[in-house]
Amino acid sequence: MAEIVASRNDATTSLVAGLERAGSTAALVSASAVGYYGSTPAGGEPLTEESPPAKDDFLADLCVGWEAAANAYGGRVVITRLGVVLGAGGGALAKMLPAFKVFAGGPVGSGDQVVSWVSLEDVVDVLITAAGSSDYRGVYNLTAESPVTMKEMAGALGRALKRPSWAPVPGVALTALYGEGARVVLEGQRVLPGRLGSGGWVWRYGEIDDVMTHVAEQV
């Protein structure tokens, strides 16, 4: 756990110190994660940038410290709280694709938990835009506007790959692999990109079937 914290906090603190020493006026665009909010109970209200961090939660505490390290910078700071990033080259789908390719894919856990996702391409677009535009500052939830259940996400991947989606991954297996990090995946989060949405951001991939079709074309 200490190594995970240090990899975020210490690296960001060192970057900020370097920028300050150099007298930089550049913007600092820092990653964080929707783990800041903890999980969303079934039927719970959506989480926005105004929602408080979860209490007694490792991922939430990690994000709070990470963001504090970035906000120590004296220039313009943009914090992006990333959802589950979907792309062909890694991340969540890298762990799901092999099973789907051999006709053994399915949802993780119950399948009823909500996934707040975002395409890799939209992440890149937002980061580049935020770095170059002084209109961007403060916290932005970097998720698509249409969260889905894990079952819906797995179904969309199955349709795109023309594979079944019937073999769920037991939650106990995920907990064994990721410990505390599995909690949000198994319990779910309904996070909305309130500030990006109100600012008129246009998503490349706003629907889960669109992004899964795009991913299937690359694998």
Side-chain angles (χ1 to χ4, degrees):
M1 296 294 189
E3 290 181 358
I4 294 174
V5 172
S7 70
R8 274 73 171 175
N9 295 5
D10 293 356
T12 303
T13 297
S14 296
L15 175 60
V16 167
L19 290 170
E20 298 285 10
R21 283 196 302 271
S24 175
T25 58
L28 174 59
V29 181
S30 181
S32 183
V34 295
Y36 177 95
Y37 305 109
S39 57
T40 305
E45 291 296 317
L47 299 161
T48 70
E49 290 89 349
E50 302 302 318
S51 300
K55 296 180 179 179
D56 302 318
D57 184 289
F58 170 72
L59 291 180
D61 292 342
L62 174 65
C63 291
V64 168
W66 194 0
E67 293 181 15
N71 281 320
Y73 179 51
R76 180 168 65 90
V77 177
V78 180
I79 303 289
T80 56
R81 292 178 183 153
L82 276 67
V84 175
V85 180
L86 301 180
L93 292 187
K95 303 182 189 310
M96 296 177 69
L97 282 168
F100 274 86
K101 287 180 177 180
V102 296
F103 295 84
V108 174
S110 71
D112 296 326
Q113 68 274 37
V114 176
V115 180
S116 296
W117 61 275
V118 62
S119 76
L120 176 60
E121 288 77 10
D122 280 307
V123 170
V124 173
D125 287 347
V126 169
L127 294 180
I128 291 174
T129 301
S133 173
S134 60
D135 291 338
Y136 286 76
R137 60 182 65 240
V139 175
Y140 293 83
N141 287 340
L142 190 33
T143 64
E145 294 181 299
S146 53
V148 296
T149 65
M150 177 61 75
K151 192 176 297 181
E152 290 169 336
M153 189 174 89
L157 180 57
R159 287 191 295 275
L161 294 170
K162 297 180 172 55
R163 298 288 194 276
S165 175
W166 59 272
V169 178
V172 66
L174 196 69
T175 301
L177 283 172
Y178 297 107
E180 280 289 322
R183 180 178 173 185
V184 167
V185 176
L186 293 173
E187 296 181 2
Q189 291 179 300
R190 189 182 300 276
V191 180
L192 298 180
R195 294 190 67 196
L196 287 172
S198 63
W201 185 265
V202 178
W203 303 92
R204 282 207 216 185
Y205 300 101
E207 300 298 331
I208 193 67
D209 278 296
D210 294 338
V211 71
M212 291 305 189
T213 297
H214 172 66
V215 167
E217 291 171 349
Q218 300 178 68
V219 299

